Every structure is written in C-alpha cells, then in structure tokens.
C-alpha cells in the first residue's frame, strides 16, 4: 500500500518536472500551454492518487480535488490560448493557421 | 422532480466526501443544505431536461476512455519535451462538430485539450479551432476529435 503510494508520488513529481521543462523549452505561447496543461494535469492527479494511497482517510476529498482540477485546467489553457491568439502581439510559430484565414 | 432528487443526492454525496467521518449534526445540516442547493438550481434551470440513466453510464465510459487518452497524451508530451531537437510543427486546424447541446460541446473541447498533442483554441458555434503540436503527423482532420464525439453523442442526444 505504502509503496504504491510512493510510486504514484514519484510519477506525479516526474510529470510536474517535465511540465516545467516543457514550458522552458517550447518556443511560443501555444506550445508552452500545451506542455504546461497536459503534463501538470497528470502530475497533480498522480500526486493526489499517491496521497490517497498513503492516507486512505483523505481519499474522498482528494478524489473531489482531482476531479475539479481535471475540469478546470483545460478551461484555463483555453482562455490563455484564446487571449493570446486574439491579441496577436507575439510572433507565433505556425505552419498553418486556419484561425487567421477564417476567424474574426 | 427527478432532477431535484438527483441534485439533492449528488450534493449530499459531495458533502459526505468533504466531511468524511459524519456525525449526526453534520448529516442533518448536509441534508438541509443540499436540499436548498437543489431547489435553487431547479428554479434557475430553464431547460428542465429529464435526467436519464443512460447518460450516466455513458459518462462513466467517457471518463475511462478519457483517463486512457490522458496517460497517452502525457507520454507523448514527455517524449517531445525530452527529444533534443524538439520535433514540433505547430498548426491550427478547423474542425466542425455535429454535437448540438452546449454541455456536450464544452466536454468535447475540454477532452480535446487533454488528448495527445492537441489543444482547443476557440469554440465558435459548431466550429472548433484546434492547435496541434505535431501538425505534420495529422492525416485526417476528423481524427483529432478522437473517440469522444461518438460517446458524447450517445450520452447527450
């Protein structure tokens, strides 16, 4: 039980570190948001699952928190991307942009 | 009426999860509080859709598929980030969805954000603008929606 918990904690920590590395390495806002959202979601959920195995009494609360995070994190990234692409100040690295052709 | 009952029970379950060891006091207060929330939600719910058990089962199926795709997305992202030359070719695609209800569209956009290499930038009516990290690998634009559109259509329509 304890070791399963430690295993999930390790997974969570590794993915959170990868999220940070991804934000550092990606060239523009959209790609950074990709790396940040995905890896940090997995990292947070992994951490919560790990804690749930270590402290079974906390499990219901942790599950609720993980669910809220799963629902809110894509919305946050969606808002950031939309704001960035509508403001259109920074240079985006895009090979093909259906939005500028059709949108607005 | 079934809506009210359902919200009541769901809210009470959330209350139970938050106050894990329940005493009599907490239980009674939770029942009253969740009843009030259910009544208020029912007053403001304009559509008054019938709650169907079928929707519930399809949502569970959706959640399992979603978890699988989430793990896949993370392994994919880890591979891209750790590759020394950063194999990205970002593109924005336009996809139309046939889903009608707003909640199904929202869930579709959210699940696209958390599936491998894609993020939904803008949702305008039935048109989705999707940003893809590895744009060169996309052959069929419809594939970007993954298995979710089918499940959501069965759940909500």
């Amino acid at each position: 039980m304890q070791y399963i918990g430690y295993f999930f904690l390790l997974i969570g920590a590794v993915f959170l570190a990868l999220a940070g590395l991804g934000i550092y390495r990606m060239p523009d806002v959209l790609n950074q948001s990709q790396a940040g959202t995905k890896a940090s979601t997995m990292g947070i959920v992994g951490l919560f699952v790990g804690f749930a195995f270590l402290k079974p009494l906390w499990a219901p609360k942790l599950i609720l928190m993980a669910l809220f995070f799963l629902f809110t994190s894509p919305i946050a990234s969606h808002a950031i991307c939309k704001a960035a692409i509508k403001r259109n100040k920074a240079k985006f690295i895009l090979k093909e942009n259906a939005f500028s052709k059709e949108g607005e | 009426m079934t809506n009210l009952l359902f919200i009541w029970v769901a809210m009470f379950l959330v209350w139970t999860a938050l106050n894990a060891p329940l005493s009599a006091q907490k239980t009674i207060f939770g029942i009253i509080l969740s009843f009030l929330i259910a009544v208020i939600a029912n007053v403001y719910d304009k559509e008054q859709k019938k709650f169907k058990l079928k929707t519930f089962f399809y949502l569970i199926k959706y959640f399992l598929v979603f978890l699988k795709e989430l793990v896949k997305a993370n392994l994919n992202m880890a591979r891209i980030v750790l590759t020394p030359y950063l194999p990205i070719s970002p593109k924005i695609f336009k996809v139309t969805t046939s889903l009608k209800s707003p909640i199904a569209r929202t869930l579709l956009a959210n699940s696209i954000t958390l599936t491998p290499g894609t993020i939904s930038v803008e949702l305008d009516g039935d048109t989705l603008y999707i940003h893809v990290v590895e744009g060169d690998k996309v052959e069929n634009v419809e594939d970007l929606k993954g298995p979710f559109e089918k499940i959501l259509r069965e759940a909500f329509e």
Side-chain angles (χ1 to χ4, degrees), chain B residues 23-76:
Chain B
S23 62
Q25 221 175 359
K26 280 180 186 170
T27 316
I28 294 167
F29 186 59
I31 289 173
I32 295 171
L33 204 63
S34 43
F35 178 70
L36 284 179
I37 293 174
V39 168
I40 293 170
N42 217 34
V43 167
Y44 283 99
D45 183 17
K46 299 223 170 57
E47 293 181 24
Q48 291 288 352
K49 268 199 194 147
K50 268 263 179 66
F51 175 75
K52 283 178 258 163
L53 209 60
K54 194 189 81 175
T55 307
F56 192 64
F57 285 120
Y58 274 111
L59 280 182
I60 290 175
K61 189 186 166 198
Y62 161 81
F63 191 67
L64 293 178
V65 174
F66 176 76
L67 280 185
K68 201 187 94 200
E69 292 285 319
L70 182 64
V71 173
K72 241 165 65 185
N74 278 285
L75 295 179
N76 187 36

Side-chain angles (χ1 to χ4, degrees), chain A residues 9-84:
Chain A
L9 283 186
L10 185 69
I11 289 182
V14 166
F15 274 107
L16 280 177
L18 281 177
L21 185 67
I23 291 177
Y24 177 70
R25 287 198 65 189
M26 290 297 190
D28 69 349
V29 183
L30 297 171
N31 290 316
Q32 282 174 339
S33 156
Q34 290 254 20
T37 320
K38 293 209 183 69
S40 70
T41 310
M42 180 80 173
I44 298 270
V45 173
L47 281 183
F48 284 171
V49 172
F51 281 131
F53 272 108
L54 288 180
K55 299 258 179 195
L57 266 184
W58 296 358
K61 285 175 211 186
L62 288 166
I63 290 171
L64 267 187
M65 280 154 72
L67 276 181
F68 280 127
F69 195 83
L70 277 177
F71 278 118
T72 52
S73 125
I75 295 174
S77 89
H78 173 78
I80 292 172
C81 286
K82 192 172 163 182

Side-chain angles (χ1 to χ4, degrees), chain B:
Chain B
M1 202 55 206
T2 41
N3 274 352
L4 195 144
L5 267 181
F6 175 70
I7 299 174
W8 190 358
V9 172
M11 285 296 132
F12 186 68
L13 283 180
V14 172
W15 174 266
T16 320
L18 285 173
N19 296 281
L22 280 179
S23 62
Q25 221 175 359
K26 280 180 186 170
T27 316
I28 294 167
F29 186 59
I31 289 173
I32 295 171
L33 204 63
S34 43
F35 178 70
L36 284 179
I37 293 174
V39 168
I40 293 170
N42 217 34
V43 167
Y44 283 99
D45 183 17
K46 299 223 170 57
E47 293 181 24
Q48 291 288 352
K49 268 199 194 147
K50 268 263 179 66
F51 175 75
K52 283 178 258 163
L53 209 60
K54 194 189 81 175
T55 307
F56 192 64
F57 285 120
Y58 274 111
L59 280 182
I60 290 175
K61 189 186 166 198
Y62 161 81
F63 191 67
L64 293 178
V65 174
F66 176 76
L67 280 185
K68 201 187 94 200
E69 292 285 319
L70 182 64
V71 173
K72 241 165 65 185
N74 278 285
L75 295 179
N76 187 36
M77 188 47 72
R79 179 180 61 75
I80 292 174
V81 169
L82 291 178
T83 311
Y85 60 91
L86 217 58
I88 58 172
S89 51
K91 287 181 185 173
I92 292 184
F93 290 109
K94 186 184 154 194
V95 178
T96 51
T97 170
S98 57
L99 295 171
K100 291 285 182 307
S101 69
I103 184 160
R105 281 179 182 169
T106 313
L107 279 178
L108 179 68
N110 273 6
S111 37
I112 282 174
T113 298
L114 290 177
T115 47
T118 56
I119 217 168
S120 47
V121 174
E122 167 78 299
L123 173 62
D124 181 18
D126 63 346
T127 315
L128 272 164
Y129 294 96
I130 301 176
H131 177 260
V132 186
V133 170
E134 290 175 298
D136 288 345
K137 282 194 180 171
V138 177
E139 279 150 16
N140 187 359
V141 182
E142 294 291 312
D143 289 346
L144 291 176
K145 286 184 280 191
F148 297 112
E149 195 180 31
K150 225 173 71 195
I151 299 174
L152 285 173
R153 188 180 303 127
E154 275 163 354
F156 287 100
E157 275 153 34

